[in-house]
């Protein structure tokens, strides 16, 4: 089974690390495991001498945080805050609210507390996979809880997967109450790059110990035939053909919607297709490449050749391509309308 629905995408901006220049430092802590997240956030605040702000308070929004900084930070000489966020928090909104020039507290680090024992179950959960992947990809630091007893092979595989999802993030194993060293990421310039964006930009460097995890890129100038793509998705995400695809993202085009480029965003069994732009009409200067696909895939035991061959088989044939967009509009298309959700 796989699911398709609309979702926002992250925009890329200029890269750069550096210290927080002005304002009081804020460290945001996210994570799906509430007890472990709070325990780490409180320990981090205690270790740094910062003020701990629980998720119940940060849920009130950036205005509430600004008021707290004004009341506490500016009057008592506090040098920083550790802001805990609940599992439903939007990392893009956290970064946006704490990175604007007028922010009272400026984001220096976004920490995702991740229990490796829960990693694969959460990625298999349609309700949790998207939130988990977003937290990992936006994080500048990943605090990894190691299960007991420790299986070195499982830890290597989990860390390899995380390194593919978030290649720029600082990673460390949480043992004996350890806390991490400050990262000081310049979120005002851009969040850390996700693995899929690095793959599409030809900048991805595989980790030295991938743990059976691989990444690949699929490029194709032709648009997908909607019915054949549905069949490939069912085999890839529903039946597990060509390995376990944990994450895929990029840009896609359905022949039945020839003038709209879609953002492809998949985590676990949930696939999102959402419109990005309306392309020029034929004759208006559009290039053939505007019709096609540019997708990154990250998975365990990934069969790159088999997957790419299956996707190549889902694009238009020569005869279908020559028939033109008016014929493509007649193709049976079971994908939902851009403003509707479908679960299949």
């Amino acid at each position: 089974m796989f699911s398709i629905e609309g979702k926002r995408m992250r925009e890329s901006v200029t890269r750069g690390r550096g210290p927080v220049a002005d304002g009081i430092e804020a460290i945001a802590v996210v994570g799906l495991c509430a007890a472990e997240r709070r325990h780490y956030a409180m320990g981090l605040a205690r270790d740094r001498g910062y003020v701990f702000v629980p998720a119940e308070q940060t849920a009130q929004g950036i205005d509430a945080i600004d008021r707290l900084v004004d009341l506490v930070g500016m009057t008592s000489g506090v040098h920083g805050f550790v802001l805990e966020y609940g599992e439903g928090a939007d990392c893009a909104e956290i970064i946006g609210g704490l990175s604007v020039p007028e922010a009272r507290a400026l984001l220096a680090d976004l920490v995702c507390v991740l229990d490796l024992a829960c990693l694969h179950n959460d990625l298999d959960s349609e309700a949790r996979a998207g939130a988990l992947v977003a937290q990992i990809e936006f994080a500048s630091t990943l605090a990894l809880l190691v299960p007991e007893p420790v299986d070195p092979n499982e830890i290597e595989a989990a860390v390899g997967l995380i390194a593919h999802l978030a290649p720029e993030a600082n990673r460390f194993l949480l043992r004996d109450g350890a806390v991490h060293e400050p990262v000081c990421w310049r979120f005002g310039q851009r969040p850390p790059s996700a693995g899929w964006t690095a793959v599409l930009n030809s900048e991805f460097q595989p980790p030295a110990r991938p743990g059976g995890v691989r990444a690949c890129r699929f490029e194709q100038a032709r648009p997908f035939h909607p019915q054949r793509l549905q069949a490939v998705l069912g085999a890839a995400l529903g039946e597990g053909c060509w390995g376990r695809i944990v994450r895929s993202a990029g840009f896609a085009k359905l022949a039945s919607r020839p003038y709209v480029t879609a953002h492809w965003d998949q985590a676990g069994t949930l696939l999102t297709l959402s419109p990005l732009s309306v392309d020029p009409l034929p004759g208006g200067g559009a290039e053939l490449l505007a019709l096609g696909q540019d997708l990154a895939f990250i998975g365990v035991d990934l069969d790159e050749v088999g997957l790419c061959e299956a996707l190549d088989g889902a694009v238009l044939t020569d005869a279908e391509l020559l028939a033109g967009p008016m014929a493509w509009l007649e193709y049976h298309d079971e994908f939902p309308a851009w403003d509707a959700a479908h679960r299949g």
Side-chain angles (χ1 to χ4, degrees), residues 127-329:
R128 295 169 71 86
L132 175 62
V133 167
Q135 290 183 357
I136 293 173
E137 290 183 340
F138 275 107
S140 49
T141 295
L142 291 157
L144 309 179
L145 292 163
V146 181
E148 295 290 345
V150 176
D151 184 329
N153 293 328
E154 289 186 5
I155 297 301
E156 181 177 287
V159 173
L161 175 57
I162 291 165
H164 277 72
L165 295 174
E168 292 187 332
N170 174 45
R171 298 180 300 275
F172 74 102
L173 300 180
L174 265 177
R175 288 195 176 104
D176 302 323
V179 294
H180 71 283
E181 293 299 318
V183 171
C184 292
W185 188 280
R186 295 172 106 178
F187 285 94
Q189 293 188 18
R190 70 160 179 86
S193 287
W196 70 268
T197 62
V199 171
L200 295 189
N201 290 332
S202 300
E203 298 173 347
F204 182 74
Q205 298 293 327
R209 301 172 67 88
V213 183
R214 295 187 61 188
C216 69
R217 182 178 184 180
F218 174 74
E219 296 179 274
Q220 171 59 257
R222 302 185 181 198
F224 283 123
H225 189 292
Q227 288 180 290
R228 293 201 291 272
L229 178 59
Q230 284 274 8
V232 172
L233 291 175
L237 302 182
E239 301 172 18
C241 299
W242 312 297
R244 182 188 183 194
I245 300 173
V246 175
R247 180 75 168 119
S248 63
F251 308 98
K253 182 67 69 72
L254 295 175
S256 49
R257 307 175 192 194
Y259 309 125
V260 180
T261 297
H263 174 50
W264 171 303
D265 188 357
Q266 171 261 327
T269 59
L270 182 67
L271 172 67
T272 299
L273 288 177
S274 53
L276 288 177
S277 64
V278 176
D279 299 323
L281 295 174
E287 297 291 338
L288 181 61
L289 282 174
L291 299 176
Q293 329 300 332
D294 195 0
L295 302 169
F297 290 86
I298 296 171
V300 181
D301 298 325
L302 199 62
D303 178 2
E304 178 180 351
V305 173
L307 175 62
C308 289
E309 286 180 350
L311 291 169
D312 276 328
V315 302
L316 297 187
T317 65
D318 290 347
E320 290 168 338
L321 189 65
L322 291 173
M326 297 307 294
W328 307 344
L329 291 171

Side-chain angles (χ1 to χ4, degrees), residues 16-40:
R17 290 180 186 245
V20 175
D22 299 299
I24 295 181
E25 182 175 275
I27 300 174
V29 179
V30 300
L32 297 188
C33 299
E36 289 81 0
R37 179 189 68 227
R38 175 153 297 185
H39 178 77
Y40 183 76

